[in-house]
Amino acid sequence: MPISEYAAFLRQYVGHATLLAPAAAAIIRSEEGKVLLIRRSDTGGWSLPGGMMDPGECIAECAVREADEETGLKVEPVRLTGIYSDPAYTQITYPNGDKVHFVSATFECRVIGGQLRPDGEESLEVAYFSPDSLPDTIVPGHRIRIQDAVLDRVDAVFR
């Protein structure tokens, strides 16, 4: 599992204990309304492109960086769809035993460039899915983010 230098630094002190981590995810839709997902290398499940914020970075920049790294697409955030901090949606134990409780901002993003491709490190595949037929192996908590985003509400949700 790829881990940021910052997270690796923290893990030296906390081991596998739960980290509270700011994070961001990108909702990227095709013209047909399908949502872009990545198949993760660490768990094999499907998820929205996203990850942990780096020190010195703002939350919207995190969503842009993660989308670029994991999908090859250049994006710009156009709308905050939700903030997710409920442990039911955001607490993860990775296969190596590391635990993280994410506080994640999810942004709808517009593609402005790049070439769609998995990076081979964090993402093994990239594919668009209809919000009504998401893969069974979607990462817990991402299904609700997609459902919230495709409602096209003006205001963000808080879960």
Side-chain angles (χ1 to χ4, degrees), residues 75-137:
V75 300
E76 65 180 356
V78 294
R79 167 174 81 99
L80 176 68
T81 61
I83 301 287
Y84 298 85
S85 61
D86 183 332
Y89 303 123
T90 62
Q91 223 165 27
I92 296 171
T93 300
Y94 288 96
N96 70 353
D98 286 354
K99 296 179 181 131
V100 181
H101 179 169
F102 290 104
V103 177
S104 185
T106 301
F107 296 91
E108 182 169 358
C109 295
R110 174 177 41 238
V111 176
I112 57 173
Q115 179 87 22
L116 184 62
R117 54 94 190 118
D119 72 356
E121 270 188 62
E122 294 181 83
S123 60
L124 301 176
E125 293 179 65
V126 291
Y128 284 94
F129 293 88
S130 169
D132 297 330
S133 59
L134 297 171
D136 292 337
T137 58

Side-chain angles (χ1 to χ4, degrees), residues 2 7 33 42-44 54 60 72 82 97 101 106 116 118 127-128 130 141-142 153 157:
D42 55 1
T43 65
D54 288 336
H101 179 169
T106 301
L116 184 62
Y128 284 94
S130 169
H142 285 226
R153 295 169 49 141
V157 297

